[in-house]
């Protein structure tokens, strides 16, 4: 267990019997998030999942996961997920971003990543970090 005191700005997470994860992927990363979800499907099936519009639809259709779908990112989905995060209703965020393509809703993206930092919620923005985070969360769940 971490011996550091919690960040004073962090919101206390609302207790939940299930791990709550948000999944977001930019257009060029949607295939990668589907592949990642397949890799961790048995763990993710035990979690409460939410995702932005198209990403959530693909996770439902192609992986068979139960996902609460928010709006598309550019239409406010990132903000909806950020609000849940700020209320303490998310345990982790997987946000596979495309750093090479300008995004019209870049301020919303930056706000979501900043909210993860402010509220001390793990946020994976690339596949390597997402695998590490999901792997650790999966092992922790199995040992509980």
């Amino acid at each position: 267990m971490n011996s550091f005191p919690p960040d004073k700005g962090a919101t206390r997470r609302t207790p939940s019997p299930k791990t709550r994860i948000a999944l977001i992927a930019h257009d060029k990363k949607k295939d990668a998030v589907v592949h990642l979800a397949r890799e961790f499907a048995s763990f993710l099936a035990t979690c409460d999942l939410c995702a932005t519009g198209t990403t959530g639809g693909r996770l439902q259709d192609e992986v068979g996961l139960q996902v609460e779908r928010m709006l598309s990112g550019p239409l406010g989905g990132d903000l909806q997920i950020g609000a849940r995060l700020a209320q303490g209703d998310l345990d982790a965020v997987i946000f596979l971003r495309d750093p090479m393509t300008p995004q019209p809703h870049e301020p919303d993206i930056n706000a979501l990543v900043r909210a993860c930092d402010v509220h001390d919620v793990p946020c994976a923005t690339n596949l390597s970090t997402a695998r590490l985070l999901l792997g650790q969360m999966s092992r922790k769940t199995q040992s509980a």
Side-chain angles (χ1 to χ4, degrees):
M1 185 160 180
N2 190 339
S3 61
F4 296 106
D7 185 343
K8 290 184 177 34
T11 300
R12 290 188 183 264
R13 291 190 202 122
T14 307
S16 173
K18 289 185 170 185
T19 302
R20 299 155 304 176
I21 300 174
L23 297 146
I24 309 162
H26 286 153
D27 289 344
K28 290 184 180 177
K29 300 293 183 173
K30 292 203 190 305
D31 289 341
V33 80
V34 168
H35 181 76
L36 178 73
R38 282 189 184 125
E39 188 177 333
F40 289 94
S42 60
F43 168 63
L44 291 172
T46 69
C47 299
D48 282 334
L49 304 176
C50 68
T52 49
T54 306
T55 301
R58 288 195 58 186
L59 293 171
Q60 287 175 331
D61 296 343
E62 298 176 40
V63 187
L65 294 171
Q66 294 284 64
V67 181
E68 181 180 358
R69 292 175 64 187
M70 304 293 170
L71 295 172
S72 172
L75 298 178
D78 298 334
L79 293 173
Q80 289 177 306
I81 289 173
R84 287 206 172 169
L85 191 149
Q87 293 171 332
D89 294 335
L90 286 175
D91 300 308
V93 174
I94 306 295
F95 191 168
L96 300 186
R97 301 189 300 166
D98 176 9
M100 303 307 287
T101 303
Q103 301 295 327
H105 60 298
E106 194 71 35
D108 297 346
I109 295 165
N110 291 337
L112 177 58
V113 174
R114 181 179 177 277
C116 288
D117 292 341
V118 168
H119 297 286
D120 196 28
V121 172
C123 179
T125 60
N126 61 61
L127 275 174
S128 294
T129 308
R131 282 190 179 102
L132 287 169
L133 179 59
L134 290 173
Q136 179 62 27
M137 293 176 87
S138 174
R139 283 188 293 279
K140 186 176 178 183
T141 301
Q142 290 171 355
S143 66

